[in-house]
């Protein structure tokens, strides 16, 4: 991280939290939906395979949501490129954090009422400093 960046700008932290929240919503839709689907059907998939698909679907739904938000401000092509370019590292770290938390707490790809808030918290906090840094360094955001 860049040591010349001020880490105490309230405005930037607020914007970073907003961006991170939209990313979390998008990631959670695909991720949790996939895990719930496999949790409620009879299957022979390995936990790692379910998690990999959940991460992929979380990334996909996050990109779709962010593109839909951005399309109000720019063309579809530019919105898609912006969604892919600015938040992909954030999305990947968020997805990995949420799924690793799920494995640690439940032992596998299992959605439970008590694990979801912890997964969401960890998923939110993991990319937040990166999102702040990116806003400060490049003055660029998705939302």
């Amino acid at each position: 991280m860049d040591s010349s960046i001020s880490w105490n700008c309230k405005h930037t932290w607020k914007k970073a939290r907003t961006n991170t929240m939209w990313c979390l919503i998008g990631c959670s839709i695909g991720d949790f939906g996939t895990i719930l689907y496999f949790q409620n059907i009879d299957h022979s998939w390995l936990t790692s395979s379910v998690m990999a698909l959940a991460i992929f679907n979380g990334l996909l739904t996050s990109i779709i949501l962010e593109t839909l938000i951005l399309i109000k401000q720019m063309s579809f092509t530019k919105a898609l490129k912006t969604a892919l370019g600015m938040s992909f590292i954030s999305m990947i770290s968020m997805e990995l954090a949420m799924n690793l938390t799920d494995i640690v707490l439940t032992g596998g790809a299992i959605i439970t009422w008590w694990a979801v808030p912890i997964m969401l918290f960890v998923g939110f906090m993991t990319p937040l400093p990166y999102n702040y840094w990116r806003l400060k360094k490049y003055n660029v955001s998705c939302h």
Side-chain angles (χ1 to χ4, degrees):
M1 297 275 176
D2 192 340
S3 61
S4 66
I5 291 177
S6 169
W7 288 91
N8 55 4
C9 178
K10 291 179 184 180
H11 172 75
T12 305
W13 278 115
K14 182 178 180 184
K15 186 70 170 169
R17 285 191 302 271
T18 300
N19 292 351
T20 304
M21 184 57 68
W22 279 113
C23 186
L24 183 67
I25 290 167
C27 284
S28 297
I29 291 168
D31 191 312
F32 291 171
T34 301
I35 294 171
L36 280 171
Y37 173 77
F38 279 94
Q39 189 172 322
N40 290 296
I41 66 163
D42 192 23
H43 67 87
S44 60
W45 284 45
L46 298 172
T47 298
S48 59
S49 298
V50 173
M51 287 294 195
L53 182 60
I55 289 170
F56 176 80
N57 287 341
L59 295 171
L60 187 63
T61 54
S62 187
I63 291 165
I64 290 168
L65 177 62
E66 292 186 31
T67 301
L68 290 174
I69 291 167
L70 289 167
I71 207 163
K72 296 174 185 175
Q73 305 165 30
M74 56 190 74
S75 71
F76 171 77
T77 304
K78 188 169 181 184
L80 180 61
K81 286 180 182 178
T82 303
L84 284 168
M86 288 194 299
S87 55
F88 206 65
I89 291 172
S90 178
M91 286 185 266
I92 290 171
S93 68
M94 180 179 288
E95 281 292 333
L96 289 172
M98 288 193 317
N99 283 279
L100 288 173
T101 301
D102 189 21
I103 290 170
V104 168
L105 295 176
T106 68
I110 302 168
I111 299 294
T112 61
W113 66 269
W114 59 270
V116 167
I118 300 167
M119 292 167 63
L120 290 171
F121 177 77
V122 171
F124 179 81
M125 294 305 291
T126 299
L128 185 59
Y130 171 78
N131 291 342
Y132 178 95
W133 171 80
R134 188 157 177 97
L135 280 168
K136 275 299 192 191
K137 179 144 178 112
Y138 301 109
N139 195 27
V140 176
S141 71
C142 288
H143 313 291

